[in-house]
Amino acid sequence: MARRPLPRILSSGTVSLSRGRDLARTAADSATDVLHPLLVIGRGLRILAAAGRRRWSETPKDKRGPALFLGAACVLVVALVPYGPLLAMITLMAAAAWHGRDRTPAKTGPSDAETERLGSLYEALVPYFSIPEDPSPLFAHGGDWDQAFSGYEFDEAGRITRLHIRYPAYFTDGEATSRARIEALLHAKSGRGREYLFDWDEEGNQLDLRVLAALPTGIAAQPFVTSPGETVLGFTDAGSVQRTLPVLEGDEPRDVPPVIWRTGPRSTEPHLLAVGQPGSGTSTLLRSVALQALRHGGDVLIVDGGGSGEYACLAGRSGVLAVECGPTGAQATLEWAAQETERRLIATHRAREVGRPAPENTRRPLWILLDQPTVLAHLAVAEGGPDPLAQLQVPLRHGRPAHVTVVVAEQFGHLELLNDSVWQHTRARVVLGPAAVQQIADVLGLPPHTTPTAQVPPGRGYARLGTGPVHRLQVPATPDPYDEGTQPAYRQAVLELLPDRLVKPVQPPAQGSAVDASEMPEVPAETP
C-alpha cells in the first residue's frame, strides 16, 4: 500500500492549524461555561425521573390507583391556585438543580497510603538533608513532611509522579556526587522502571522531581521537513528544543520536537560517534542518516564492519558510491576518501587564491558511514595489512571545509580500539540502548539528566551535540527493508525513501586515483 504524501498544511500551515485548534478549544470551553446551568438542571431532571420510575415500580399494584388519583388531585390544586404552575415550575427547577449538582468530593490532601509514602520518603532524606548543628532542621526524624514537600502528584497506582522538595541551604548541591546520591535515593523510593527528571534550583534550594512520559516509538523514516545540512537524529521531549517537526505517526499527523544535527563548513560538530550494545539501534541510526543524506543530494560511502548485510538495500543506488564489508575494500575506500578530501581542499584553496568560488564538485556533500570499523581493523592487522582506521585522520581533521562528514557507530566493548582522532573530532555523540550512568557520561562527557532504565526499546538513548545539553533520543524506525522480521509498514517506508537503483553500481576509484566522484560518468537508472 502506497504511503500518503505529507499534507501541505503540515509543512506550511502548522501555525495556522495550531491557532485553529486553540480557537476551537476556547469556543468549546466558553460554550460549556454558558450552558453549565442547563446541563446541571438536565442532569437533575434525569435523576428525579429515574427516582420516580423506581418509586412507581416499587409501589404495589393495589395501591397504584389511589396514588395516581392523589397525584392528579395535587396537579389540579396546583393549577387552580394563583401562581401555582409558576411556583411548581420554580420548585421543580430548584430540586433538579440540587440533585444535578456535582457531588464529587474535592480532594483536599493525600490519602492514607499517599501520606505514608511521603512520610517514608521524608524519613529516608533526613540523613542527607540534616546536620547535628542545625538549630531548626527542615529534615528531622519524626518531623513534618509538609514543610519540606510543597507539591506532589500521584498516579492511579499510588506512585509519585511529581514531587517538589525544599532542602537546607547548607546542602552541597553544587557537587555532582551529592546530587547523584539524592537522585539515586529518590529513584529507588519512588519506584524503579520509570524515567525521572531531576531539576535542581541551586539558587532557591529546591528540587523538582517528575516522571517523564515515554518517547514515541511509532515514527517511521519519512521525508522530514529540514534544510540541506540538517539531519534528524531522532525525537526528544517537548521543551528540550525550540523547534518542532510535522511527522506522521502511522496515519496520524503530529508535531514533535527533533534533535537536529547540523553539518557543513559552519558546523561546530562536523562528525558523529554513535555507541551502543548489540541490537540497540546504531545501525538503524546510520540507515536513517544515509537516507537523509541521499535525499539532500549527497554521496555516501558505507563500511559495514559487522558484515551483517544490513546495508545491502543501499548497494547500487544513486548516490551510494560503495558498500564495503571486507578489510581490503574498506582500506581502498577509506584511502580514496582521504585523497578525495585532500583534492577538495586543494581545489578550494586554488579557487580562493584567484578570487573565484569553490568548484561545484567540491561542494557536494560526501558522507562516510562506518558501522563497527574496529572489526575490520582487527582483521586487517591479523592479515598483516595496514589499519583502515588510520585513513580516517584526514577526513576527520579536514573534512568540515571540504564538505566531508564522518559517522562512526561502535559497540561499548570495542571503544578502546578506536584511535584518538575519532575521539577528538567526533563532537556529536549518541548513546543508544541500556547503559550505566558512568558509561553514558564517558561517551557524552556529561551524565544524563534523567535516570536510565534497564529496559528500553531499540533506538532509545541520549544525544549531545558538542558542549550542549544531553537530550533524550528516540531514533525513527528505519529497519533493514530486506529483514522480514520487522513490521511491514516500517519496511515499506524505507523502500519508498531509497533512491533509484542503477544498472551498474558506482564504485569509488581504485587505490591511488584522485578522480572526484562527481566527475564519474552517470549510469542510467533502472525502470521501476
Side-chain angles (χ1 to χ4, degrees), residues 327-505:
T328 304
Q331 174 68 26
T333 300
L334 295 180
E335 184 174 349
W336 174 85
Q339 295 179 0
E340 172 65 11
T341 304
E342 296 173 348
R343 185 199 67 81
R344 292 187 176 201
L345 292 174
I346 294 174
T348 302
H349 180 69
R350 290 177 178 175
R352 291 175 178 174
E353 283 183 340
V354 297
R356 294 181 179 179
E360 182 66 25
N361 57 13
T362 63
R363 297 198 299 266
R364 182 179 177 90
L366 175 62
W367 293 74
I368 306 174
L369 310 181
L370 302 98
D371 192 357
Q372 301 183 45
T374 57
V375 177
L376 293 180
H378 176 75
L379 294 177
V381 173
E383 295 176 358
D387 184 2
L389 293 181
Q391 303 296 331
L392 282 178
Q393 294 187 9
V394 175
L396 286 171
R397 293 179 179 177
H398 309 291
R400 185 179 66 172
H403 296 269
V404 178
T405 302
V406 179
V407 181
V408 180
E410 194 51 82
Q411 298 180 6
F412 276 108
H414 302 159
L415 290 181
E416 67 277 1
L417 301 179
L418 294 176
N419 53 36
D420 295 338
S421 297
V422 176
W423 286 105
Q424 292 176 3
H425 298 284
T426 52
R427 293 173 49 83
R429 303 283 179 87
V430 173
V431 176
L432 299 178
V437 175
Q438 188 58 44
Q439 288 180 309
I440 300 174
D442 292 340
V443 177
L444 302 183
L446 283 178
H449 60 293
T450 62
T451 54
T453 56
Q455 301 294 332
V456 294
R460 173 71 176 82
Y462 298 91
R464 188 187 183 201
L465 304 179
T467 58
V470 178
H471 299 285
R472 288 206 307 166
L473 182 72
Q474 178 62 53
V475 178
T478 316
D480 180 8
Y482 297 160
D483 184 6
E484 297 182 355
T486 58
Q487 295 188 20
Y490 296 160
R491 294 166 51 198
Q492 183 63 29
V494 176
L495 289 174
E496 292 178 358
L497 293 177
L498 291 175
D500 296 333
R501 186 178 294 278
L502 303 177
V503 176
K504 181 179 179 181

Side-chain angles (χ1 to χ4, degrees), residues 142-510:
D144 190 3
W145 56 263
D146 289 340
Q147 298 181 358
F149 300 156
S150 57
Y152 45 83
E153 294 178 7
F154 292 85
D155 57 9
E156 294 79 5
R159 297 191 302 175
I160 294 175
T161 58
R162 187 153 194 171
L163 183 64
H164 192 76
I165 304 174
R166 293 175 54 244
Y167 56 86
Y170 51 74
F171 176 71
T172 56
D173 51 5
E175 299 178 2
T177 55
S178 300
R179 293 197 304 267
R181 285 196 299 266
I182 299 299
E183 293 175 1
L185 174 64
L186 293 174
H187 182 203
K189 294 295 184 179
S190 301
R192 298 184 183 274
R194 301 184 296 174
E195 200 161 3
Y196 295 89
L197 172 65
F198 298 96
D199 186 9
W200 290 86
D201 182 8
E202 301 178 4
E203 184 177 1
N205 301 319
Q206 297 179 2
L207 169 61
D208 190 68
L209 173 149
R210 61 187 176 94
V211 178
L212 295 175
L215 295 176
T217 59
I219 301 177
Q222 53 192 279
F224 299 117
V225 185
T226 55
S227 302
E230 293 183 342
T231 302
V232 177
L233 298 180
F235 304 97
T236 185
D237 300 297
S240 298
V241 294
Q242 300 179 352
R243 178 177 177 180
T244 59
L245 282 183
V247 299
L248 288 176
E249 185 175 2
D251 293 333
E252 297 294 330
R254 293 185 56 187
D255 285 348
V256 293
V259 178
I260 300 292
W261 172 41
R262 293 174 176 85
T263 57
R266 292 181 174 84
S267 173
T268 57
E269 304 88 21
H271 309 296
L272 174 71
L273 173 63
V275 183
Q277 303 288 355
S280 59
T282 54
S283 299
T284 297
L285 176 61
L286 259 63
R287 273 191 299 271
S288 177
V289 171
L291 292 176
Q292 296 181 63
L294 293 171
R295 177 173 173 265
H296 289 298
D299 293 326
V300 177
L301 285 173
I302 300 176
V303 176
D304 184 9
S308 58
E310 294 190 358
Y311 304 95
C313 60
L314 296 170
R317 301 282 179 174
S318 176
V320 180
L321 303 182
V323 178
E324 297 292 344
C325 301
T328 304
Q331 174 68 26
T333 300
L334 295 180
E335 184 174 349
W336 174 85
Q339 295 179 0
E340 172 65 11
T341 304
E342 296 173 348
R343 185 199 67 81
R344 292 187 176 201
L345 292 174
I346 294 174
T348 302
H349 180 69
R350 290 177 178 175
R352 291 175 178 174
E353 283 183 340
V354 297
R356 294 181 179 179
E360 182 66 25
N361 57 13
T362 63
R363 297 198 299 266
R364 182 179 177 90
L366 175 62
W367 293 74
I368 306 174
L369 310 181
L370 302 98
D371 192 357
Q372 301 183 45
T374 57
V375 177
L376 293 180
H378 176 75
L379 294 177
V381 173
E383 295 176 358
D387 184 2
L389 293 181
Q391 303 296 331
L392 282 178
Q393 294 187 9
V394 175
L396 286 171
R397 293 179 179 177
H398 309 291
R400 185 179 66 172
H403 296 269
V404 178
T405 302
V406 179
V407 181
V408 180
E410 194 51 82
Q411 298 180 6
F412 276 108
H414 302 159
L415 290 181
E416 67 277 1
L417 301 179
L418 294 176
N419 53 36
D420 295 338
S421 297
V422 176
W423 286 105
Q424 292 176 3
H425 298 284
T426 52
R427 293 173 49 83
R429 303 283 179 87
V430 173
V431 176
L432 299 178
V437 175
Q438 188 58 44
Q439 288 180 309
I440 300 174
D442 292 340
V443 177
L444 302 183
L446 283 178
H449 60 293
T450 62
T451 54
T453 56
Q455 301 294 332
V456 294
R460 173 71 176 82
Y462 298 91
R464 188 187 183 201
L465 304 179
T467 58
V470 178
H471 299 285
R472 288 206 307 166
L473 182 72
Q474 178 62 53
V475 178
T478 316
D480 180 8
Y482 297 160
D483 184 6
E484 297 182 355
T486 58
Q487 295 188 20
Y490 296 160
R491 294 166 51 198
Q492 183 63 29
V494 176
L495 289 174
E496 292 178 358
L497 293 177
L498 291 175
D500 296 333
R501 186 178 294 278
L502 303 177
V503 176
K504 181 179 179 181
V506 178
Q507 297 291 339

